[in-house]
Amino acid sequence: MTMEQQADSSWATDAGWVDEILLAGRDDQVCFRVPGPIDRGELRRLVADRRERLTAAGLRPGGAAALRLPPSMAYVANLLAIWQLGAQAVLLDYRLTDHEVEQARQRLLPQVIVAPHRIAGGLRVFFEVEDTISSYDQEPVASEHAVVQLSSGSTGPSKVIGRTAADLIAEIRRYTQIDGVALPGERIILLPSMVHVLGLVGGLLYGLHAGVELVPPQRLTGDSILDAIASTDSPATVLGVPFHISLLSSTTPARPPRQLRRMITGGELVPAATAAGFVDRFGVPLGNMYGMTEVGVIGTDLDGSHRPSVRPAPGITVRARDGELQIARAASPYLGQAVSDRWADGWLRTRDAGTVDEATGLVTILGRLDSQVTIGGLQVDLAEVEASIGALPGVVAAVVLFDEAITAYLQLEPGHPVEDVEARLATQLARYKQPQVYQVFDQFPRTTTGKLVRDRALLRERAA
């Protein structure tokens, strides 16, 4: 049976797909270096241990388990064990506050939450974690989805996105057909979080299926990335986001490591000058990958020859309507409350501005149409941040924009300190979502119809 047949067959929604697609292979085949090698035999033992613990905590087939873990072997083992049990994995960023996690729990109703009891290490890509399981008296909610993610956080307007096992398998298959990805026997230097789609499917799931070693650097520094590349003789592909380009560019190696085959980035657009500087510095291609949580990989340009455009991935159809990119999808990826304006008649609206060249099929992404922004590879919904600030005591009016950094423009009640707003917000939103800049007006600028002004240039002028 081919992988395409597997992705289309009903058994792909059963627990057996984990063993067939992700864990198959020789016991002695190395799949991780963290930094010591972990082979498939050891990984299977770790998964079996977590499966026993999850079962003892009350997780059953058809149930759901929320993972609030940083990238780690504990995260990998728990994720695969959840799927082996025929349960659903709800992925939560470990940096979310307790308030955000509780909001997610009430919304998604998992039977268990796996969280860190202890996290070792500071500036890390991959952590040493002691995990603990909390059980909740919650009946399973029937769902065919293997993984559930939140689009931009766990409160406010964020959307709940579900993907089936068959959908994940189909994406893995797309990766196997893309020229330029790491090949069996090679390595992926894994920098993106495995909680998010690029690191999850493009790194973890594809690597396990294809027999590609996954090598997270020991620390989140440019020199540590270079050390990871040079740690063995096999060819290495660096997978990351544009922020990681700057880390590598900050290094001063005598010569680029000979094992480096290419770097691939996703998550946000890379300026042309940055891309050219990387290629000149390291002498390898800087590839570009375009995707979204709802779909996974949509298009790629892994040799950099079409920058800033990408070619649709195998099996993906893209069109542009009224300046917006849309993706053909048989069903809506959204769970719970309908998101009627995002999927209709077999087409998913990306909210990305772009064009599709009729002659070549190349897709050019021009930026976001809505309030979503990407900060260091992490997606932030500015509407969520604005709503959270607006609900705080002492806030009369608030507009949140991205102006080189997340910037909050505020009007506060007389005598109310902005420090109180910052302190309260820190208990409700993850650190990466919080504004870096606060500008306070005595009277918030408004339009002639009484609406708050949202023009970035005007607000910046008024603040100055």
Side-chain angles (χ1 to χ4, degrees):
M1 178 181 287
T2 67
M3 182 170 286
E4 183 173 12
Q5 291 169 328
Q6 291 170 346
D8 291 338
S9 66
S10 60
W11 76 262
T13 60
D14 297 332
W17 74 278
V18 177
D19 295 325
E20 296 287 339
I21 299 298
L22 303 178
L23 290 177
R26 303 188 323 269
D27 278 353
D28 62 351
Q29 183 183 49
V30 174
C31 46
F32 284 93
R33 292 188 184 272
V34 289
I38 294 179
D39 59 28
R40 290 188 181 272
E42 176 62 17
L43 178 58
R44 283 191 279 257
R45 287 189 288 273
L46 291 172
V47 173
D49 172 72
R50 290 321 196 280
R51 189 172 64 243
E52 290 183 5
R53 294 178 57 196
L54 289 165
T55 300
L59 183 62
R60 297 291 183 269
L67 291 181
R68 187 193 183 185
L69 295 172
S72 57
M73 288 311 303
Y75 172 86
V76 174
N78 278 288
L79 177 65
L80 299 183
I82 290 166
W83 287 340
Q84 273 191 343
L85 286 169
Q88 180 185 92
V90 177
L91 305 186
L92 302 177
D93 195 301
Y94 77 101
R95 289 162 292 202
L96 297 180
T97 65
D98 290 341
H99 173 79
E100 291 170 302
V101 172
E102 177 59 19
Q103 291 283 333
R105 188 192 70 79
Q106 294 180 18
R107 191 175 183 183
L108 302 174
L109 306 177
Q111 282 72 62
V112 301
I113 294 181
V114 186
H117 175 67
R118 183 184 68 88
I119 300 178
L123 194 64
R124 297 276 184 171
V125 174
F126 208 74
F127 294 80
E128 295 180 13
V129 174
E130 292 180 5
D131 51 313
T132 183
I133 303 176
S134 300
S135 301
Y136 296 87
D137 185 16
Q138 183 66 56
E139 289 297 320
V141 177
S143 173
E144 63 179 356
H145 299 97
V147 64
V148 169
Q149 295 169 276
L150 296 171
S151 62
S152 61
S154 57
T155 62
S158 62
K159 295 170 290 296
V160 181
I161 298 165
R163 299 186 67 187
T164 64
D167 192 34
L168 294 174
I169 293 169
E171 187 183 359
I172 295 169
R173 178 176 178 271
R174 292 204 293 273
Y175 273 100
T176 66
Q177 299 178 67
I178 296 172
D179 290 336
V181 297
L183 299 175
E186 298 183 352
R187 293 174 295 145
I188 293 175
I189 309 303
L190 186 61
L191 303 178
S193 170
M194 293 182 293
V195 175
H196 305 289
V197 65
L198 178 60
L200 174 65
V201 186
L204 175 62
L205 303 189
Y206 169 72
L208 288 176
H209 171 73
V212 176
E213 285 187 20
L214 299 168
V215 185
Q218 291 191 52
R219 296 183 64 79
L220 188 57
T221 65
D223 288 333
S224 188
I225 296 171
L226 292 179
D227 289 342
I229 295 169
S231 60
T232 66
D233 289 333
S234 59
T237 295
V238 176
L239 183 65
V241 297
F243 165 72
H244 300 126
I245 299 174
S246 63
L247 291 182
L248 277 172
S249 299
S250 69
T251 62
T252 55
R255 62 180 64 86
R258 57 180 175 78
Q259 299 92 333
L260 180 59
R261 182 168 172 253
R262 76 178 70 233
M263 182 174 184
I264 300 171
T265 66
E268 54 189 305
L269 297 174
V270 178
T274 302
F278 176 89
V279 173
D280 181 67
R281 176 82 176 278
F282 290 96
V284 298
L286 177 64
N288 182 28
M289 187 175 292
Y290 169 56
M292 58 192 300
T293 303
E294 291 90 333
V295 180
V297 60
I298 294 171
T300 62
D301 174 35
L302 300 194
D303 61 6
S305 60
H306 302 303
R307 188 177 298 278
S309 302
V310 297
R311 188 172 298 283
I316 295 292
T317 301
V318 186
R319 73 179 186 183
R321 287 292 184 273
D322 299 322
E324 180 185 23
L325 297 176
Q326 299 181 1
I327 315 299
R329 300 297 284 173
S332 172
Y334 302 112
L335 283 64
Q337 186 176 358
V339 187
S340 58
D341 64 336
R342 291 299 299 269
W343 181 90
D345 301 324
W347 291 95
L348 176 68
R349 296 182 59 186
T350 66
R351 296 284 175 84
D352 286 324
T355 61
V356 179
D357 189 290
E358 293 184 2
T360 65
L362 292 175
V363 178
T364 303
I365 303 96
L366 302 176
R368 298 291 294 174
L369 291 177
D370 56 18
S371 65
Q372 301 284 331
V373 297
T374 302
I375 311 294
L378 300 173
Q379 198 175 68
V380 179
D381 189 335
L382 299 180
E384 177 194 10
V385 180
E386 185 173 296
S388 297
I389 294 176
L392 294 177
V395 176
V396 177
V399 166
V400 176
L401 301 174
F402 185 76
D403 190 5
E404 299 182 346
I406 298 177
T407 303
Y409 296 93
L410 307 175
Q411 179 182 337
L412 303 177
E413 293 177 356
H416 195 89
V418 69
E419 290 81 3
D420 180 74
V421 174
E422 294 182 67
R424 289 177 181 271
L425 194 64
T427 68
Q428 296 189 21
L429 292 181
R431 186 179 180 86
Y432 67 87
K433 299 179 185 179
Q434 297 169 31
Q436 285 80 56
V437 179
Y438 288 82
Q439 301 284 2
V440 181
F441 298 107
D442 291 334
Q443 290 292 327
F444 204 105
R446 294 179 181 269
T447 67
T448 55
T449 59
K451 294 181 180 179
L452 298 177
V453 168
R454 292 182 175 276
D455 181 86
R456 182 180 292 104
L458 179 57
L459 289 173
R460 187 189 301 160
E461 178 184 348
R462 293 287 182 89

